[in-house]
Amino acid sequence: MNEIKVYDPRAFTSRFMPSRELESLLKGNLNKFLICRVEDMYQHVKQAVSASRSLTHSCLFLTEGSAVMKIGSEEYRIRKGEMLFVPAGQVFSFDIHDRNKGIFCNFHDDMLLGKYGNSELLKEFEFLKVWGKPHIELDKDTAGFVGHLFERMLQEYTEHGLEHMNILQPYLIALFCEVNKGYQPVLANQQTNAVSITNRFRELVFQNIRNRHMVSDYAAMLNISPSHLNKLVKMTTHKAPTKWIDETIVQEAKVLLSQSDFPISEVAIQVGFEDQSYFTRLFKRYEGMTPTEFRRMIKMS
């Protein structure tokens, strides 16, 4: 079975924004860390970025204008002083018409580990989870602090690349701690056990969607009954587990339709359906068009 293509930063920039000028701004091991001005990067985007996913996390902080990006099954618009995160492995797409300025940063989990970090930070920063809230609105003071931290990292990276990780890593961690103060948890004010199970369910769906479509499968992995899982997920998210599963299937299919030339029947098989007609009905229910129509739209864009 062919795997959905997952881009590393170098492959992504080469595919969607090929430019020697941009290459000169990106230094060292891009799979570990990179930072640049939004206007310096996205002026080189020549085509809309169709459904894709990355090996690393990324974040966008705007100082002017606005930006629209689809992350998972939701579309987000951010403005000056706001941030948008795309966790590693999450499906994202965006068009080329936005006019804005700000900072773009891409980083591996390793940037939060090692000398100045620890594994607890990865648990604390919910916005780096595929089920977390990617859009964060910062108050004026926090936006100012975040802007200063980004500028300091950008200066260090521009002058020395990744040579001084003892500077870059603490600044990045401090920045995320500032962001975390303004972050509103997805399931705030809910029962702790229900939140924990729901978050684990969403993570398992993300990891197993190509071969597990039944609520009972995930209930078994969580050692609870399907009815109990259904109750907890609906209580905390106001959405049934079946809908979370269906939406994730559609996102997976959109990546395949965008990145491959597989026949629709093969795309259906790749996401776990032998019945192409059922897959087509499911896709149309959520996207308002058939897989064939979606692929045609992507090619035209």
Side-chain angles (χ1 to χ4, degrees):
M1 180 180 290
N2 296 311
E3 293 294 329
I4 289 175
K5 186 174 182 180
V6 182
Y7 289 101
D8 62 37
R10 182 75 70 183
F12 183 82
T13 54
S14 296
R15 170 71 174 81
F16 293 104
M17 47 193 84
S19 165
R20 290 185 179 180
E21 181 182 349
L22 178 59
E23 286 182 10
S24 69
L25 299 176
L26 306 180
K27 306 172 185 293
N29 181 0
L30 303 190
N31 290 332
K32 190 173 186 68
F33 181 82
L34 69 88
I35 184 171
C36 68
R37 297 197 186 281
V38 173
E39 56 269 34
D40 291 338
M41 173 172 277
Y42 288 104
Q43 65 174 309
H44 302 293
V45 179
K46 304 304 181 186
Q47 59 179 305
V49 174
S50 57
S52 305
R53 50 166 51 112
S54 172
L55 287 167
T56 47
H57 307 291
S58 63
C59 63
L60 183 65
F61 174 71
L62 291 191
T63 56
E64 289 185 23
S66 64
V68 176
M69 182 178 288
K70 191 161 189 180
I71 301 174
S73 59
E74 303 292 331
E75 184 173 273
Y76 300 90
R77 177 182 291 274
I78 66 167
R79 297 174 174 82
K80 177 180 177 180
E82 297 178 358
M83 295 189 71
L84 198 60
F85 284 85
V86 181
Q90 178 61 284
V91 178
F92 67 93
S93 61
F94 59 88
D95 211 334
I96 59 175
H97 304 301
D98 293 331
R99 294 293 178 265
N100 47 51
K101 293 184 179 180
I103 302 289
F104 174 82
C105 181
N106 191 282
F107 57 97
H108 192 276
D109 277 345
D110 288 350
M111 289 295 291
L112 303 179
L113 303 172
K115 185 176 181 180
Y116 298 100
N118 57 67
S119 59
E120 292 303 310
L121 285 173
L122 293 174
K123 299 176 183 177
E124 183 178 343
F125 299 147
E126 188 177 288
F127 46 81
L128 298 182
K129 303 294 186 181
V130 294
W131 43 263
K133 290 171 63 176
H135 182 193
I136 304 177
E137 299 180 30
L138 306 173
D139 62 48
K140 185 177 179 180
D141 286 343
T142 303
F145 298 148
V146 165
H148 288 312
L149 289 164
F150 268 130
E151 289 292 342
R152 180 63 186 95
M153 286 192 293
L154 179 61
Q155 179 187 21
E156 175 61 34
Y157 181 78
T158 300
E159 295 178 0
H160 304 290
L162 302 184
E163 185 178 346
H164 299 148
M165 293 301 295
N166 61 330
I167 294 176
L168 291 172
Q169 187 186 34
Y171 273 118
L172 185 67
I173 291 172
L175 186 151
F176 288 163
C177 288
E178 288 284 357
V179 170
N180 211 34
K181 289 193 306 182
Y183 179 79
Q184 297 297 318
V186 174
L187 303 175
N189 303 319
Q190 298 281 357
Q191 297 178 27
T192 302
N193 186 56
V195 169
S196 177
I197 290 175
T198 298
N199 288 342
R200 182 60 182 146
F201 161 73
R202 293 180 63 185
E203 200 163 8
L204 287 169
V205 169
F206 184 79
Q207 295 167 351
N208 297 277
I209 196 60
R210 299 184 76 185
N211 49 34
R212 295 186 184 276
H213 296 171
M214 303 295 293
V215 173
S216 57
D217 293 334
Y218 296 100
M221 285 188 273
L222 292 165
N223 296 312
I224 60 177
S225 69
S227 60
H228 189 48
L229 178 59
N230 188 67
K231 176 183 176 181
L232 294 180
V233 173
K234 288 182 72 174
M235 179 180 71
T236 53
T237 70
H238 308 292
K239 188 188 297 186
T242 51
K243 190 167 185 181
W244 283 112
I245 292 169
D246 287 349
E247 288 179 348
T248 307
I249 290 169
V250 170
Q251 290 304 312
E252 199 79 358
K254 286 168 67 177
V255 177
L256 277 170
L257 290 164
S258 302
Q259 293 185 1
S260 76
D261 293 321
F262 293 148
I264 303 303
S265 58
E266 176 62 19
V267 172
I269 291 171
Q270 290 273 333
V271 295
F273 291 101
E274 295 291 337
D275 186 342
Q276 180 184 331
S277 62
Y278 180 82
F279 163 69
T280 297
R281 290 196 299 272
L282 176 69
F283 191 94
K284 187 172 183 179
R285 186 194 316 161
Y286 285 91
E287 292 299 312
M289 64 182 78
T290 66
T292 301
E293 291 167 340
F294 176 82
R295 174 171 275 168
R296 187 181 303 123
M297 179 188 72
I298 291 296
K299 288 182 177 179
M300 288 177 64
S301 66

